[in-house]
Amino acid sequence: ERLAGHVDRLGRAGVRVVLDMHQDLYSRHLFGGDGAPAWAVEKLPFEPRSPWFANYSAPAVQANFDRFWTSEDLVERFALAWERVARRLGPHPAVIGYDLLNEPHPGTAAPGAFEPDRYVPWLAKLADRLQAITPDRIVFVEPMALNPTRGDLYASLAGPRRVFAPHWYDPVVEATGEFRSSVATRLAVGLIRRRGLDAGFPVLFGEWGVVQRAGGAVDYVRLVADLFDQHRVGWCWWAWDREDGRGFGLVDARGELAPAGRWLVRAYPSRVAGVPDSWRSDPESGTFDFAWRPSAGVTEIVLPAGVFGPRGGRVAGSAGVEVLGYDPARATLRVRALPGAEACRIDVRRE
């Protein structure tokens, strides 16, 4: 019921919700992470390591993941918990779907065997069970983090209301606290997206972020946000927390956006009648350019007032487009293709 109250509050604010069965280091009981309840934890000797993600290699953490994946009882209890969540919260109008397990870990199993032999079959069964309860909700299929996953491993899960939802954190930035090279991130974002598309999914990067006090954090955030535009994928930032710069939180102790946050307040197409070809948003200059191949219906473009002004900027150029109007309450411009248009383009500039 506490979670339902949070979903109500988010819905009133116009936020759409993905329910995520979240874990880090299996559980907060013993390991200092979050996830499994105390009764599902085998209490073993554990010595914390640094950086935090190195704890995934701790024998106690790996043993608990092994225990989960090989226990029919724990797997079934996990599924029953999800079914209860789906029945209680799935019908809520703010909820769009489910991420079944945050950053799954194989324990001591080899990742190359874990995904095809255990994880993908488990995902398939659980996804079907939840969509039998709420057929119109999306299942976000999350592969192992930082693993060179073959897209075809997940192809059997693709279909209506299924989305490939990988996470991306640059491991060098995570380990060193410094952003010095864009090479790894540029390669990873393109490769991960291609794997999802080749498997038959639309792609949403379900989590990304950087510690705000990391060296070059602002440049890193600008790079990744621009890459997501370039590759035409959606994303979710980790995390909308109020912090003092020592963590991933995007809001400082005063409630203001951290310096990197201004690169995330950007224009984007939130609903496209057709197929997007390209878009580019620059919060600094207050520009947005978008091209798509249209179909019948209305296309909606979010134009934040903090970037474009209270009236959503001005249309500096367009082709094949009828502008229907700007809704300041939703910071959304509505347009549609002119009759007979085979291609559409619109360029918006700050007022």
Side-chain angles (χ1 to χ4, degrees):
E1 293 306 312
R2 181 171 61 87
L3 184 57
H6 292 317
V7 174
D8 285 340
R9 186 159 61 96
L10 291 166
R12 288 194 296 270
V15 177
R16 296 294 174 257
V17 177
V18 177
L19 299 171
D20 165 33
M21 198 69 79
H22 203 85
Q23 73 78 31
D24 288 302
L25 305 179
Y26 189 76
S27 175
R28 71 178 183 272
H29 302 284
L30 185 63
F31 308 130
D34 53 1
W39 59 262
V41 177
E42 183 178 4
K43 299 199 168 40
L44 299 169
F46 173 71
E47 292 292 333
R49 304 179 180 189
S50 183
W52 79 269
F53 54 82
N55 290 289
Y56 274 109
S57 63
V61 176
Q62 293 189 338
N64 271 272
F65 277 107
D66 287 345
R67 181 169 175 261
F68 174 78
W69 292 116
T70 58
S71 168
E72 292 183 7
D73 178 60
L74 289 178
V75 166
E76 179 60 18
R77 285 171 178 252
F78 185 92
L80 291 173
W82 252 126
E83 288 183 337
R84 184 173 181 181
V85 170
R87 290 191 177 96
R88 175 64 180 87
L89 297 177
H92 195 291
V95 172
I96 63 172
Y98 318 113
D99 184 340
L100 304 187
L101 180 63
N102 178 69
E103 296 179 358
H105 193 275
T108 59
F114 169 75
E115 284 188 286
D117 297 343
R118 183 163 291 158
Y119 181 58
V120 170
W122 173 84
L123 275 179
K125 292 176 183 177
L126 184 53
D128 287 346
R129 287 173 69 163
L130 297 188
Q131 288 186 315
I133 297 170
T134 49
D136 58 345
R137 294 299 182 254
I138 299 167
V139 168
F140 293 84
V141 175
E142 183 176 341
M144 284 183 59
L146 299 180
N147 187 51
T149 301
R150 297 193 342 253
D152 62 326
L153 289 179
Y154 292 86
S156 62
L157 300 177
R161 301 192 180 278
R162 300 281 176 89
V163 171
F164 197 63
H167 292 186
W168 171 250
Y169 293 91
D170 187 313
V172 176
V173 177
E174 288 283 293
T176 67
E178 293 285 340
F179 171 57
R180 294 191 178 97
S181 172
S182 67
V183 173
T185 291
R186 289 182 184 278
L187 289 174
V189 169
L191 181 60
I192 293 169
R193 168 186 174 270
R194 175 46 54 192
R195 285 172 176 156
L197 294 178
D198 287 349
F201 293 95
V203 177
L204 169 84
F205 278 77
E207 197 177 301
W208 73 286
V210 68
V211 172
Q212 293 299 297
R213 69 176 180 183
V218 172
D219 292 335
Y220 178 77
V221 170
R222 182 177 186 177
L223 166 73
V224 180
D226 286 347
L227 283 172
F228 288 154
D229 281 0
Q230 175 186 328
H231 289 291
R232 306 185 304 283
V233 294
W235 49 266
C236 297
W237 171 270
W238 181 272
W240 187 256
D241 289 337
R242 182 173 293 196
E243 294 182 349
D244 56 5
R246 291 179 295 179
F248 291 83
L250 198 60
V251 182
D252 67 21
R254 299 171 300 171
E256 302 292 331
L257 274 178
R262 66 190 181 100
W263 295 106
L264 303 182
V265 181
R266 58 202 296 125
Y268 64 94
S270 60
R271 178 176 297 178
V272 181
V275 179
D277 283 327
S278 67
W279 73 78
R280 182 179 183 277
S281 179
D282 186 343
E284 186 172 52
S285 63
T287 62
F288 178 72
D289 304 318
F290 178 41
W292 71 104
R293 285 162 284 156
S295 59
V298 173
T299 290
E300 297 187 343
I301 301 167
V302 173
L303 298 167
V307 176
F308 291 91
R311 293 180 293 182
R314 59 182 178 83
V315 176
S318 66
V321 173
E322 177 187 4
V323 176
L324 302 176
Y326 179 75
D327 179 357
R330 298 174 56 225
T332 297
L333 179 69
R334 301 174 74 247
V335 301
R336 65 184 172 199
L338 292 171
E342 296 182 357
C344 291
R345 177 184 59 80
I346 191 165
D347 306 321
V348 183
R349 301 293 180 263
R350 176 186 292 140
E351 288 185 305

